[in-house]
Amino acid sequence: MDSFVFSYPTRVYFGEGSAEKAFKAELGQMGRKVMLAYGGGSVKRNGVYGQIKTWLSDAGKTVVDFPGIMPNPTYAKAQEGARLARAEHVDFILAVGGGSVIDCCKVISAQAMLDEDIYEMEYGARRFPAQGIPMGAVVTASGTGAEMNAGAVITHEEKRWKGAIFGTAASFAVLDPSYTLSLPMKQVISGAFDTLSHCMETYLGTPREPNLSDEMNEAVMRSVIAHIRTLLRDPQNLEARSELMWASAMAENGLLKLGKTTDFQAHQIEHQLGAYTDCNHGQGLAVIHPALYRHICPDAPKQFARLAREVWHVDGETDEAAALAGVDALARFIREIGLPTTLGEMGITDERTLRAVADTCNLTAGCCRQLTRDEVFEILKECR
Ligand code: NZQ
Ligand code: ZN
């Protein structure tokens, strides 16, 4: 296991009814003016917005609404939010939504306190923001784990790029599984697959000698797989929703990454696919993973075989055979839970788009082997 320093900035209020507890404890630290940021309106329809607005108003806060944060939030939207936060002298930002709303707010928070463009600062000068307007997150769609880290995933439309911008981590997060009851099942499943992807991409990082982070990771993966199946049989099952919500946070709160170097190559490809097609994140991952893993599993057969045995409960006569059996089991699971298995099913058919994605996605050091751009293109063509 590599050396590490671990500390955590986010207080988590977990469970049904936890929002009220959270607001009672946190309202005093929110200042006078609160930006209430949300997406396209789901939080108004399911009553979460109304409840929060009442708590804020009863506590004497002035509320500045910032609606309309879209799935795959854009850089322009984050800039619009930062301008509003500055103009209104907002003391606190409350993100109410899924990963997209939370990510957009992380950047709003940091950009509002900067006199320079945050993208240019991070990717040009390689400097990162040291402060931001404090923020909190109320999670209404789980999967990304965005509420427990400072990294935002943003689409910069002008640059045809989707990737990480580091902003502000939430000082507190509310995870109430009952808030996800109104989420369309398709999104519940694609979110849960995103969690599984985070786990797999972490697990396949280095070092690969047996370690506690990987053993915890195996437990999280088995839990995600089991509870996706439970929810598909019984969509209202709050226990399964709770487990998926906590697994989502666990996969991205750093615990599973302790002592490991991760690589997230599937994510790098999917994000750039998102930049070109605005596709759903979890669905894109579901299509890319099996094809990518067929390419790289011969380079780390032991770890892929362990994944097969411990998580998918399949085996083979050799590690190489077990590794492939595990990738087949993953592909079967994706079909079983109704996620797309081809890019065609997602409406992505243009070969030039695939070439552009391959030519512009971030190539990582490689959890198993560094891919070439041509190989990424091959993988994407196999996904058609
Ligand atoms: O906009 P509204 O009307 O709220 O509708 C949203 C949106 O259409 C809807 N929704 C959310 N909660 C709901 C609800 N509908 C009914 N009831 C509810 N309770 O769900 C739709 C999708 O929301 P979105 O926030 O886009 O989904 P998700 O949480 O999957 O976030 C995806 C974004 O997060 C990024 C992805 O790339 C993508 O941009 N990621 C962020 C990560 C991070 N910060 O750590 C890591 C991930 O790997 C990922 O890249
Ligand atoms: Zn993800």
Side-chain angles (χ1 to χ4, degrees), residues 38 42 48 65 67 71 89 113 126 139-140 155 171 220-221 244 261 288 297 299 308 317 339 351 370 372:
Y38 51 98
S42 71
V48 173
D65 263 45
H89 303 288
M113 294 186 77
R126 306 301 301 173
V139 181
T140 66
T155 301
S171 59
V220 177
M221 286 190 273
L244 288 177
T261 302
I288 291 165
C297 74
D299 299 285
E317 284 186 5
L339 282 168
E351 193 166 310
Q370 178 147 18
T372 64

Side-chain angles (χ1 to χ4, degrees), residues 94 119 121 189 255 264 319 347 355:
L94 201 51
Y119 176 91
M121 174 179 148
I189 301 304
L255 279 174
F264 276 58
D319 281 346
R355 183 74 243 185

Side-chain angles (χ1 to χ4, degrees), residues 101-371:
V101 172
I102 298 168
D103 280 358
C104 191
C105 288
K106 292 174 187 173
V107 177
I108 292 173
S109 154
Q111 179 69 79
M113 294 186 77
L114 288 171
D115 292 324
E116 58 190 313
D117 180 274
I118 190 167
Y119 176 91
E120 296 302 335
M121 174 179 148
E122 295 192 6
Y123 285 91
R126 306 301 301 173
R127 284 183 287 105
F128 295 88
Q131 55 182 355
I133 298 173
M135 68 170 274
V138 177
V139 181
T140 66
S142 69
T144 66
E147 67 277 12
M148 289 193 77
N149 59 53
V153 180
I154 300 291
T155 301
H156 199 313
E157 289 176 301
E158 279 168 30
K159 295 188 186 297
R160 265 285 165 86
W161 170 91
K162 182 179 182 185
I165 296 182
F166 287 90
T168 305
S171 59
F172 77 92
V174 175
L175 286 88
D176 181 337
S178 71
Y179 284 3
T180 70
L181 283 167
S182 55
L183 191 63
M185 187 49 83
K186 223 171 147 182
Q187 180 63 37
V188 173
I189 301 304
S190 81
F193 188 82
D194 187 20
T195 301
L196 186 62
S197 168
H198 297 158
C199 290
M200 292 190 293
E201 300 227 66
T202 300
Y203 188 80
L204 294 166
T206 54
R208 301 199 186 92
E209 291 75 38
N211 63 79
L212 181 61
S213 298
D214 284 354
E215 295 206 18
M216 287 162 59
N217 195 334
E218 287 164 5
V220 177
M221 286 190 273
R222 284 192 295 263
S223 173
V224 170
I225 292 162
H227 290 104
I228 289 177
R229 286 182 168 138
T230 304
L231 264 196
L232 284 170
R233 281 193 308 272
D234 177 11
Q236 302 301 307
N237 191 311
L238 211 55
E239 208 40 54
R241 284 174 185 270
S242 305
E243 294 288 339
L244 288 177
M245 197 170 220
W246 184 234
S248 159
M250 276 294 291
E252 278 302 303
N253 67 9
L255 279 174
L256 306 185
K257 299 177 185 174
L258 291 179
K260 296 210 62 156
T261 302
T262 67
D263 135 297
F264 276 58
Q265 185 62 72
H267 268 70
Q268 303 297 339
I269 299 171
E270 194 288 330
H271 283 160
Q272 212 40 21
L273 189 66
Y276 278 84
T277 67
D278 198 27
C279 64
N280 176 280
H281 177 58
Q283 291 184 2
L285 290 169
V287 173
I288 291 165
H289 263 289
L292 170 67
Y293 283 178
R294 286 202 177 90
H295 274 252
I296 61 175
C297 74
D299 299 285
K302 277 195 173 8
Q303 189 74 346
F304 269 99
R306 190 171 153 195
L307 180 65
R309 292 178 186 124
E310 299 298 329
V311 175
W312 298 109
H313 309 300
V314 294
D315 211 337
E317 284 186 5
T318 59
D319 281 346
E320 284 73 9
L324 271 174
V327 179
D328 288 343
L330 167 66
R332 273 197 306 279
F333 178 68
I334 290 165
R335 253 194 312 280
E336 173 195 332
I337 64 176
L339 282 168
T341 56
T342 64
L343 292 175
E345 287 170 66
M346 298 172 67
I348 303 167
T349 52
D350 180 17
E351 193 166 310
R352 282 166 310 179
T353 301
L354 304 186
R355 183 74 243 185
V357 170
D359 286 344
T360 55
C361 75
N362 194 15
L363 294 179
T364 63
C367 69
C368 307
R369 166 167 57 85
Q370 178 147 18
L371 299 170

